[in-house]
Amino acid sequence: IIGGGPAGLAAAISAFDSGVKDVLILEREEKTGGILNQCIHNGFGLARFKESLTGPEYAERFIDGVVERNIEYLTKTMVLSVTKDKVVTAMTAENGVFEIKAKAIILAVIRVLVFVLCGILLRHWFLMIFAVIFAIGHFAVTFKKYKET
């Protein structure tokens, strides 16, 4: 699963509970939870957990579910490419560049995709250019950190 935000964590738990025990989450940031870690207001979890939670509390429920099931995850991992044969090329500062041959891939990254899709739907070139610059900039920072180690 590419992306350790709420969608990626929920997908991992759902896959595991459905019988897929060989699950790996690849997350670009230092910790899983995605954007929810920044959302300190209440209101999350009303439908799923029947109580009002902050973003970090809501994310923690999913993180706990991943940990309880011993689902493997790698943080600070930048996915570089995905082939049609389901080979994921990724890199970390600790391990360098590596490949994973997957049986299936779930793409659960949203940040850049939202800007690109909004740009396409709204025919707004600025949003699409911003998304590409954001992605390239993040890759450059990650690659620089990798080269320094």
Side-chain angles (χ1 to χ4, degrees):
I1 299 172
I2 301 171
L9 297 171
I13 291 168
S14 180
F16 188 90
D17 290 349
S18 297
V20 181
K21 304 304 180 197
D22 188 16
V23 178
L24 173 64
I25 301 169
L26 302 175
E27 170 56 40
R28 176 182 66 182
E29 301 296 332
E30 286 189 46
K31 62 186 276 187
T32 57
I35 195 71
L36 289 175
N37 291 318
Q38 300 172 22
C39 301
I40 59 171
H41 60 278
N42 289 331
F44 295 96
L46 292 172
R48 186 174 198 104
F49 299 113
K50 308 295 185 236
E51 61 181 302
S52 181
L53 304 167
T54 65
E57 292 169 335
Y58 186 69
E60 196 61 40
R61 297 283 178 99
F62 287 105
I63 293 166
D64 290 346
V66 165
V67 171
E68 288 166 7
R69 291 164 177 82
N70 292 316
I71 297 172
E72 187 179 356
Y73 61 92
L74 297 174
T75 56
K76 298 191 278 184
T77 303
M78 181 72 170
V79 173
L80 304 174
S81 68
V82 178
T83 70
K84 64 180 178 178
D85 299 322
K86 301 181 193 119
V87 175
V88 177
T89 303
M91 74 177 210
T92 66
E94 297 83 25
N95 301 321
V97 177
F98 59 94
E99 290 184 343
I100 300 167
K101 174 65 174 131
K103 292 180 184 173
I105 297 171
I106 297 173
L107 186 60
V109 293
I110 194 73
R111 230 177 259 167
V112 173
L113 293 176
V114 165
F115 286 117
V116 171
L117 290 175
C118 286
I120 291 169
L121 292 173
L122 299 173
R123 296 176 193 240
H124 200 290
W125 290 102
F126 174 76
L127 286 175
M128 288 185 278
I129 293 168
F130 174 78
V132 170
I133 290 170
F134 177 81
I136 291 169
H138 186 79
F139 175 77
V141 169
T142 303
F143 189 71
K144 182 176 182 241
K145 288 180 187 177
Y146 168 71
K147 284 181 67 176
E148 290 171 355
T149 59

